Every structure is written in structure tokens, then in C-alpha cells.
Amino acid sequence: MKIAAFEVRDDERESFADESQRVGVDVELHAECLAPSNVGLAAGCDGVSILGQSHIDAAMIDALADVGVKVVATRTIGYNHIDLNAAKRRGIMVLNADYAPNGVAEYTVMFILLVLRNYKPALWRGQVYDFSLEGLQGRELRNLTVGVMGTGRIGATVIQCLTGFGCRILAYDPHPNPKVAEHAEYVDLETLYAQSDVITLHMPLLDSTFHIINRETIAKMKDGVVLVNCARGELMDLDALIDNIEAEKIGGLGLDTVETEGDLIHRDRRTDILTNRGIAYLRQFPNVVMTQHMAFYTDAAVRSMVSCSVDGIRAAIVDGEFRTRIA
Ligand code: NAD
């Protein structure tokens, strides 16, 4: 069995070596994204393993099928970069990863606290020996209501973490989870928007969730609302975020993912001028904390992402088992 892995970072190489030896498959590692120009690298492979920057559209599915690939396994939980319908049409199996939700959930809680306690301006000031307190007064979670949109694996774990802080927790999901209902109150979206001091997003990017946070929905929220996004950037309309931060309708943002992040994330761009106006502008606000799509990035998650894809492809081909099949 042979697998071609793309977008392989240096920190993944050891896990790939361990996992390929453990399950007995041959894995070729490539640092570049899977693209039309290099699809030939997958020729003769049973499966390909990718991350989120490889765009697997219908043409790429055709190209992969033509060189004999049977399984596409993304080492990510999100799969909005893969055309699932095209894969079904060409009979290519698609797997995603199901690493533990704890890393992203903990990161979300960290973001909520960073924004509520004005950590970014406090850090800036301390760097230049300004130890004043003015404007840095924070808020305590026990006095606040947190709205969680999407209560799947990550949203449910966020709620579990938040129970220790004593805040009121509201939840919205088209498919409520009875276990979550023990700790959070399921409400409709209008109620969640109207009553939450903090709103955090944990749903997939779908046609139906694209720009779910927009000018109209923000207008329904409390003044000074804190928004956190550790899911996908396109869930929030970037221009609407900028206008509402300027207008002080939004009191703070914690963004691990942002619309238009595209080619910026996970690359060293220190010597470039940042030509992405939305991101360059938004990141200057003291009440906006942004990171480079790294909520997932823990030792345990990286090992698990590699193992999910290598063993997932092996199990699909050899055993006919599909633990994380999405197409
Ligand atoms: P999951 O499939 O377990 O849960 C998603 C939940 O969203 C489901 O319960 C679903 O019913 C719900 N949902 C669907 N449409 C909704 C809507 N309109 N409103 C509210 N809820 C809706 O997925 P998960 O493992 O919890 O991951 C959630 C998302 O987090 C992923 O799709 C991925 O995009 C993102 N993610 C980001 C990172 C990161 O590093 N920033 C890492 C992992 C996952």
C-alpha cells in the first residue's frame, strides 16, 4: 500500500514515520500542497493525505481518479476544501480527522479570557514599561452569559470547560445533544444573540453557515458583545466585523480563523508587505486578538491527525472500514 502525503510540516514527519511503520504502509512525504501541477506525485498511490490548503475541487478529483487514487484523507476536521459531490461521482472515498476536541476547546476558552481581561493592550503596555491600569479593567465570566453556536464535539467540550467558571451558558444547534442540555440551555438563535455577552462559533462551514455572522445578526446582539471564532473564517463577514469594531458595537474579537486568511496562514511572511487590507486593518485594534489558525495545534492533535489519515486510508482499503468517512 502506498500513500502520498501533502502539506507535510516538519513537525509531522516523526508521526508519519511512526505511523507508517506501525500500520505497515509506505508513505511519501511532500511539503507542497496537492495542486494540478503536482498531481502526478500521487500516481500509483492508493490514497492521498492533505491539510486544508489543498483545494480538492471537481477537476482535482478527476485528476486523482485518473491516476488511480481511491481515498482522499484530510488531516483536518473541517472539509470545506473538498468537493464531496465530485468525489461521490467519481467513487473516491473521503475521510476527515476526528482528533480530540480538547485542544480547540481549551484555545477557545483562552481566547474568551484574553479578550475579557484586555490581555493584548496589557501586553503591549508592559513591553514599553507602561504599567498603568487605565482602560484595562476586565469582566468576570461568572457574571456573564456565553452563547455557544454549534454543540458538536468541540462546542460540547467548550461547554464542559465553561461549567467550571459559573457563567450562564446558552446553546444553539439544529441537532441538540441531550448531554449538552445538562449544562447549557438550548435556545433559538434570536435569544442567543439577544442575551449573550460572549458568542463562540463551533459549526462547519457550509453554504447555510457562510456569513452566519453578518451586519443583520450583529445588530441583534448586545452592545459590547465579544465574538470568538475558532471554526472557519468565512462564518463571519469580515467587513461587518471591521465596521462593528469601529462602531464599538462589538466589544472584542478572538479570531483564530478569519475570512480571506487564504495563503497567509502557516507561512512566514515577515519580509513581505501584508497586502491583505481586511486582516492588516483588523489586527491593529487593541480589543482584537488574532492567531494564525492554530487552535488545533497541540502535540496530541498533530499525532492523531497523522494517524487518522494514514491508518484511515489503510483501514478503508484493506479492511473496508470507514471510521471517519464523509463521502
Ligand atoms: P462536529 O461535526 O462535531 O460539530 C459541528 C456541529 O455544528 C454539529 O453538532 C452540527 O449540528 C452543528 N451545526 C451545523 N449547522 C449549524 C448551524 N447553522 N448553527 C449551529 N450549529 C450548526 O464538528 P467539530 O469537531 O465540533 O468541529 C467544528 C468545526 O470546527 C469544524 O467544522 C472545523 O471547521 C472547525 N475546526 C477548527 C479548528 C482550528 O484549528 N481552528 C480545528 C478543528 C476544527
Side-chain angles (χ1 to χ4, degrees), residues 94-281:
V94 182
L95 316 175
N96 72 342
D98 65 349
Y99 56 90
N102 304 64
V104 180
E106 290 173 13
Y107 204 88
T108 302
V109 175
M110 176 187 79
F111 258 166
I112 294 173
L113 295 171
L114 288 180
V115 177
L116 288 176
R117 300 308 297 269
N118 296 306
Y119 178 73
K120 185 174 169 186
L123 179 71
W124 280 352
R125 282 190 205 178
Q127 303 286 63
V128 293
Y129 302 146
D130 173 357
F131 303 122
S132 63
L133 287 178
E134 198 190 351
L136 297 183
Q137 195 172 74
R139 286 182 285 169
E140 298 179 24
L141 266 173
R142 70 188 167 96
N143 298 320
L144 302 178
T145 298
V146 180
V148 179
M149 292 173 62
T151 59
R153 297 173 73 241
I154 295 172
T157 311
V158 168
I159 289 170
Q160 195 187 4
C161 293
L162 285 174
T163 54
F165 289 94
C167 47
R168 179 176 174 228
I169 307 173
L170 301 179
Y172 171 78
D173 193 305
H175 305 287
N177 173 348
K179 281 212 151 95
V180 168
E182 291 169 20
H183 303 292
E185 186 187 336
Y186 276 106
V187 293
D188 59 30
L189 268 184
E190 301 295 312
T191 308
L192 187 143
Y193 291 148
Q195 297 188 7
S196 300
D197 301 287
V198 176
I199 295 177
T200 180
L201 266 54
H202 301 286
M203 74 275 277
L205 174 62
L206 308 166
D207 289 345
S208 59
T209 58
F210 177 79
H211 280 190
I212 192 164
I213 302 301
N214 56 47
R215 285 173 209 285
E216 287 72 36
T217 51
I218 293 169
K220 295 174 182 174
M221 296 175 190
K222 280 184 157 184
D223 291 344
V225 65
V226 169
L227 300 181
V228 171
N229 188 359
C230 289
R232 282 293 178 270
E234 294 88 341
L235 297 172
M236 293 183 163
D237 177 347
L238 178 57
D239 291 332
L241 295 183
I242 290 172
D243 288 350
N244 280 282
I245 275 280
E246 283 183 332
E248 298 181 15
K249 168 73 182 177
I250 295 177
L253 287 170
L255 304 177
D256 183 51
T257 57
V258 60
E259 187 175 27
T260 75
E261 68 187 15
D263 293 338
L264 289 180
I265 58 160
H266 305 170
R267 287 186 175 81
D268 183 351
R269 301 288 297 263
R270 272 177 296 184
T271 54
D272 294 350
I273 289 173
L274 184 53
T275 51
N276 187 314
R277 288 188 184 193
I279 289 181
Y281 187 65

Side-chain angles (χ1 to χ4, degrees), residues 9 11-12 14-16 18-19 75 99 298-309:
R9 299 183 311 267
D11 62 88
E12 293 180 299
E14 191 180 336
S15 298
F16 269 111
D18 292 347
E19 189 63 13
R75 306 194 291 285
Y99 56 90
T298 68
D299 51 356
V302 168
R303 276 196 303 277
S304 178
M305 290 161 95
V306 168
S307 148
C308 280
S309 79

